[in-house]
Amino acid sequence: MTTTQPASTNLQERFQPAGNPLREGLRIERTPDPCAMVIFGASGDLTYRKLMPALYDLALERLLPAGFSVIGFAHRDMDAESFKAHLREGVERFSRFRPIDDAIWESFAEGISYVRGDFNNPEDYERLSVELTAVDTQRGSMGNRMYYLATPPEFYANIVSCLGAKHLTHREDGAWQRVIVEKPFGHDLESAQGLNKAVNEGFDERDVFRIDHYLGKETVQNILAFRFANGIYEPIWNRQYVDHVEITVAESIGIEGRGSYYDDTGALRDMAQNHMMQLLSLVAMEPPGSLHADAVRDEKVKVLHALRPINPDLVNRSAVRAQYADGFVSGKQVPGYREEDRVADGSLTETYVALKLFVDNWRWADVPFYLRTGKRLAKRVTEIAVHFKPVPHRLFSSQASQNLEPNLLVLEIQPDEGMALKFAVKVPGPTMRLRPVNMVFQYGTAFNTGSPDAYERLLLDAMLGDGTLFTRRDEVEAAWRTVTQILDGWSNLPDDQIPQFEAGTWGPMEADAFLNREGRSWRRP
Ligand code: BG6
């Protein structure tokens, strides 16, 4: 297929000021207040792989406030020095900027301390409170605190209530107290409502930052820019022109040693309830009145509220689930899901799910949104494909247009970040023959700078009190409503089998049949 290059990269370079405008803009316009961050579950993987590397990267880019401090809180027996050594190792492995800069690390690490404690023991929070006061005095954090719940969700309620009991959730002096909550945020609608209630008992909703790391990805944020900073797409972004929308989040990795979590969770809860619902709402939302956090989230939540209810008794009309069996991924033999560590024998947990959803509103009435996600698929790719309707009248002979396909716009979220618009052109020659070509935009070619990790952006936004890229309580619950309808449907099905597919392929035959019977097929990105 022919590739049309983006409008000249040189042109873009010519119009870009020297340096890195994005980063400089952030530094000038967005400096958070001095603050301390307490990480509950600080000895875990998330802190090691994601949080600390992101914070170090922010320190390196001089985006952190002066005197920024981190207090780790966990039950592992460590002191501040061994905690720092452990974190440094994580930063060395996962920072975007390697090798690490010793001077920056040293100055960043001066603000790191550790409190050994039990999440459920109120007495241990007394020591945390003492440490926070010391940090305020020594490092000038002025009572501003960000609590990061990087623990399993069963601890959230107790952590919040212990913080409350020690008066660590509110202050009279105007200093802010915020909480960042990690997924999984609930197991179904009811448990999500319970968690929300527990968290909101300690913190006002505007101080709660529920992480969905997809919202921190540059390409996901760009959906808003693409839709609402350009005038030409909005008029065609509706049922009159769009035939269907296909959202794919395919992974080639398996469950990466997380068997006990995953076997209890499955693809629907792990990926669809959060990341995919967020992609769907960004694509389908109405233009917000402003970029204020609540203006954006109001529009997103309206999409989720407009999702057509799924009758659990007819769940197979809306959802397909499957599990990977053994196979080859990138030439390497991999075991089937049931052979993975800490997965129950004969497990029925889905590693693949495909959904058909409808957004019942004026703009999208009867336009299907097909979503699919899975582990151990043929390749890692996340994309949103907007399939437009065919032309209303066939002007060209069937011979001329035999290769013609309707227009297609693909937002490539990862790993090849960019966009492609497919349209028809005449093949040079004496006869009228048509074929599709792609007009392509690629981040890598257009910008000389790598994208920050999602956690960098999200941590910075939470420090700034900007909730735009975090999920609000009603959004989480609305997404769970649809997901719970599917879970209820599955739980009523005869419980003894789940389709299998070979690892390294594009999923089960059942998912192909699901689309084929509507005269459509999945893309093979
Ligand atoms: C996480 C899921 O939320 O997202 C993982 O728990 C999944 O199972 C991961 O692998 C995918 O994130 P990314 O950024 O690699 O697409």
Side-chain angles (χ1 to χ4, degrees):
M1 182 165 301
T2 323
T3 297
T4 318
Q5 280 305 312
S8 160
T9 310
N10 291 341
L11 258 187
Q12 284 170 354
E13 279 165 8
R14 234 186 293 154
F15 286 113
Q16 253 173 31
N20 179 345
L22 281 180
R23 206 175 287 162
E24 279 158 16
L26 280 179
R27 194 179 307 153
I28 295 159
E29 291 163 26
R30 299 162 44 101
T31 306
D33 300 328
C35 61
M37 177 166 157
V38 179
I39 306 179
F40 291 94
S43 54
D45 221 37
L46 182 74
T47 311
Y48 180 81
R49 284 171 180 266
K50 289 287 179 191
L51 303 184
M52 277 304 149
L55 287 171
Y56 165 80
D57 291 352
L58 288 172
L60 195 83
E61 295 174 291
R62 299 202 200 96
L63 294 171
L64 289 180
F68 176 77
S69 310
V70 173
I71 303 173
F73 186 102
H75 26 224
R76 198 191 295 175
D77 191 7
M78 280 192 282
D79 59 14
E81 288 318 306
S82 47
F83 182 52
K84 285 184 206 180
H86 167 73
L87 297 181
R88 179 173 170 135
E89 204 186 285
V91 171
E92 275 166 3
R93 285 181 60 193
F94 298 108
S95 160
R96 278 198 298 137
F97 305 104
R98 283 170 284 162
I100 75 171
D101 179 318
D102 284 323
I104 301 277
W105 169 260
E106 287 310 324
S107 111
F108 174 64
E110 269 172 29
I112 299 180
S113 56
Y114 185 77
V115 172
R116 185 178 174 213
D118 179 338
F119 303 134
N120 294 333
N121 183 359
E123 294 320 308
D124 293 344
Y125 288 74
E126 185 56 43
R127 285 187 288 116
L128 175 63
S129 174
V130 170
E131 180 63 26
L132 277 166
T133 310
V135 165
D136 282 344
T137 327
Q138 289 155 19
R139 303 196 43 93
S141 31
M142 297 165 64
N144 296 320
R145 276 118 202 216
M146 208 160 69
Y147 301 105
Y148 200 116
L149 307 187
T151 66
E154 57 264 31
F155 294 111
Y156 294 172
N158 268 343
I159 293 175
V160 172
S161 104
C162 290
L163 286 171
K166 295 286 169 210
H167 310 290
L168 292 171
T169 50
H170 287 99
R171 287 170 69 106
E172 300 302 323
D173 59 1
W176 49 258
Q177 318 291 298
R178 299 182 187 136
V179 65
I180 306 184
V181 188
E182 263 296 332
K183 70 177 269 270
F185 204 78
H187 204 66
D188 54 16
L189 178 57
E190 204 185 330
S191 56
Q193 286 167 330
L195 280 178
N196 276 329
K197 188 163 171 286
V199 171
N200 285 141
E201 258 156 36
F203 296 90
D204 296 338
E205 181 60 24
R206 74 186 148 93
D207 294 321
V208 181
F209 294 78
R210 295 178 194 80
I211 290 249
D212 183 313
H213 78 280
Y214 267 56
L215 294 178
K217 291 181 191 274
E218 280 293 331
T219 42
V220 174
Q221 294 169 48
N222 187 49
I223 299 172
L224 284 181
F226 175 75
R227 287 195 55 202
F228 305 128
N230 296 292
I232 61 171
Y233 304 106
E234 202 47 28
I236 56 168
W237 209 257
N238 56 48
R239 66 188 306 274
Q240 236 127 40
Y241 294 92
V242 176
D243 181 76
H244 65 286
V245 178
E246 195 184 338
I247 303 181
T248 300
V249 182
E251 296 188 280
S252 54
I253 54 169
I255 53 169
E256 307 276 284
R258 298 192 302 159
S260 52
Y261 156 78
Y262 197 88
D263 209 31
D264 239 14
T265 306
L268 182 67
R269 291 183 176 101
D270 186 47
M271 299 295 284
Q273 187 276 335
N274 36 68
H275 310 321
M276 300 194 79
M277 289 292 189
Q278 288 298 326
L279 296 179
L280 167 69
S281 45
L282 287 166
V283 169
M285 70 192 272
E286 295 300 316
S290 75
L291 278 186
H292 185 272
D294 277 331
V296 173
R297 297 188 295 185
D298 285 346
E299 294 307 334
K300 279 164 59 199
V301 78
K302 280 188 213 161
V303 173
L304 299 173
H305 282 311
L307 286 177
R308 185 179 299 172
I310 294 170
N311 177 347
D313 295 335
L314 302 174
V315 67
N316 289 340
R317 291 193 189 167
S318 304
V320 171
R321 57 181 176 159
Q323 213 174 55
Y324 63 83
D326 60 348
F328 286 84
V329 176
S330 310
K332 205 174 137 236
Q333 184 153 26
V334 297
Y337 176 67
R338 289 179 182 170
E339 292 136 48
E340 302 272 13
D341 279 350
R342 293 194 290 271
V343 166
D345 293 342
S347 164
L348 295 169
T349 300
E350 80 288 354
T351 65
Y352 175 98
V353 66
L355 305 175
K356 178 166 77 158
L357 302 175
F358 289 97
V359 179
D360 282 341
N361 62 16
W362 195 279
R363 185 189 287 262
W364 295 115
D366 295 328
V367 176
F369 285 76
Y370 298 106
L371 279 54
R372 65 177 161 164
T373 183
K375 303 263 183 211
R376 288 283 189 233
L377 295 180
K379 67 190 258 205
R380 173 173 186 248
V381 58
T382 298
E383 62 162 43
I384 299 167
V386 181
H387 296 259
F388 291 94
K389 291 191 169 160
V391 288
H393 168 64
R394 269 185 174 254
L395 183 59
F396 300 95
S397 70
S398 50
Q399 203 191 9
S401 56
Q402 63 185 353
N403 296 321
L404 208 58
E405 295 168 23
N407 295 119
L408 172 74
L409 175 76
V410 182
L411 308 182
E412 294 159 357
I413 306 293
Q414 61 186 22
D416 299 323
E417 305 173 331
M419 267 173 219
L421 178 67
K422 183 187 279 185
F423 56 96
V425 296
K426 177 183 177 300
V427 179
T431 54
M432 179 58 88
R433 279 187 175 280
L434 304 169
R435 64 177 272 194
V437 293
N438 274 330
M439 191 155 70
V440 176
F441 154 73
Q442 284 173 318
Y443 278 78
T445 329
F447 301 105
N448 307 329
T449 162
S451 296
D453 183 78
Y455 276 90
E456 289 175 43
R457 173 65 195 260
L458 295 176
L459 290 171
L460 190 64
D461 278 7
M463 285 180 225
L464 290 159
D466 181 350
T468 314
L469 302 178
F470 295 84
T471 33
R472 210 169 55 186
R473 175 179 185 153
D474 50 352
E475 267 182 284
V476 172
E477 292 180 6
W480 271 119
R481 188 184 55 116
T482 300
V483 164
T484 305
Q485 290 158 355
I486 299 168
L487 291 169
D488 288 347
W490 284 347
S491 69
N492 295 338
L493 293 176
D495 209 14
D496 54 356
Q497 53 187 350
I498 180 166
Q500 306 279 310
F501 66 92
E502 194 183 330
T505 65
W506 276 105
M509 283 168 348
E510 287 79 354
D512 290 338
F514 186 61
L515 249 67
N516 295 161
R517 64 177 180 243
E518 308 196 350
R520 303 188 173 103
S521 51
W522 297 105
R523 275 172 44 77
R524 297 276 179 267

